[in-house]
Each structure stands twice: as C-alpha cells, then as structure tokens.
C-alpha cells in the first residue's frame, strides 16, 4: 500500500504547477499533501528531509512554525527564546 501512496504524492507534486493558476491557494495545498504522503510512506524521503533540515536551521524553524510542532516549542523553551 505504500508504493501507491508515494505515487499519488508524486502526482500531486507534479500537478501543483497546473493547479497553481486556479484562484486561491490550491497549489499550496496540493504540494503540501503530496509532500506529506511521500514523507509518511518513504523512509528514504524522510531521511533526506531530516538531513536537509539539519543542514539548514532556518528551514527547520520555518517548517516547525508552519506545522505547529510541539517539538519546536520545546526547543524554543530550552534555548530561552
């Protein structure tokens, strides 16, 4: 079941530029849904994403804020920010 979900995620990401011309934030949601499907069902993609976030702390902060992660709140509390 994981392979079809990864394929659906890739299709959603590839369709994003086509639906981005529609009014409203449809492109953002299709890209986010595709990325979520891929990250949930692909160990390789999760590893690459984690590596990307470790190398780019600003991107990590942005993704934490966008996803409203509890781990981000704990990190900020520990850092005293």
């Amino acid at each position: 079941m994981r392979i079809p979900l990864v394929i659906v995620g890739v299709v959603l990401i590839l369709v994003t530029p086509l639906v981005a011309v529609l009014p409203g934030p449809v492109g953002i949601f299709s890209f986010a849904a595709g990325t979520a499907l891929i990250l949930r069902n692909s160990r390789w993609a999760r590893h690459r994403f984690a590596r990307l976030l470790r190398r780019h702390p600003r991107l990590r902060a942005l993704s934490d804020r966008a996803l409203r992660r509890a781990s981000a709140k704990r990190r900020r509390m520990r850092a005293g920010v």
Side-chain angles (χ1 to χ4, degrees):
M1 189 63 185
R2 287 181 183 227
I3 292 173
L5 288 175
V6 170
I7 292 170
V8 169
V10 170
V11 168
L12 281 173
I13 289 175
L14 293 176
V15 167
T16 298
L18 301 175
V19 297
V21 296
L22 297 174
V26 179
I28 294 171
F29 293 124
S30 69
F31 183 79
T35 303
L37 280 173
I38 291 172
L39 289 175
R40 282 191 174 261
N41 295 298
S42 171
R43 187 175 184 181
W44 176 83
R46 277 193 308 265
H47 176 71
R48 299 291 296 184
F49 186 68
R51 180 191 257 178
L52 175 77
L53 293 181
R54 272 194 307 268
R55 287 185 179 176
H56 303 286
R58 288 177 131 181
L59 185 60
R60 173 181 280 275
L62 180 65
S63 75
D64 284 345
R65 226 177 307 128
L67 296 173
R68 297 182 180 153
R69 291 188 178 150
S71 59
K73 291 177 187 173
R74 285 192 302 269
R75 271 196 298 277
R76 274 186 267 140
M77 294 287 282
R78 272 188 254 143
V81 175

